[in-house]
Amino acid sequence: SAPLVAGALVSAWAPSAWAMIAGRFITGLGVGASSQIVPLYLSEISPPALRGTLNGFRRLAYVFGCLAAFCLAAPLKDDGGEGWWR
């Protein structure tokens, strides 16, 4: 979770588009690591009968979260102006 927090802070206080890109890259490292670690952890701690179900619900929550983020951000793309990259 350290890369997620660090990347979010860099992105939040980015003075330029390149700083925002650096923050997104750092956050991407955290997301990439968690996308490998969380399913493994869930598989290790869950009962054998529920392993697939729990990982399926985790993936479903991820997909709905992506959909919600897109739906919230899509109207902002037409705003333009200074700071459009934020």
Side-chain angles (χ1 to χ4, degrees), residues 1-76:
S1 55
L4 296 173
V5 172
L9 291 175
V10 169
S11 294
W13 289 312
S16 67
W18 288 107
M20 176 67 82
I21 291 169
R24 294 292 304 253
F25 180 78
I26 295 167
T27 305
L29 292 175
V31 170
S34 67
S35 70
Q36 296 297 312
I37 294 169
V38 171
L40 179 66
Y41 177 72
L42 281 176
S43 295
E44 290 290 331
I45 66 166
S46 62
L50 294 176
R51 281 187 188 145
T53 303
L54 290 177
N55 274 313
F57 278 127
R58 179 202 55 83
R59 184 66 179 169
L60 192 63
Y62 174 80
V63 170
F64 278 121
C66 289
L67 177 64
F70 174 77
C71 289
L72 291 172
L76 300 176

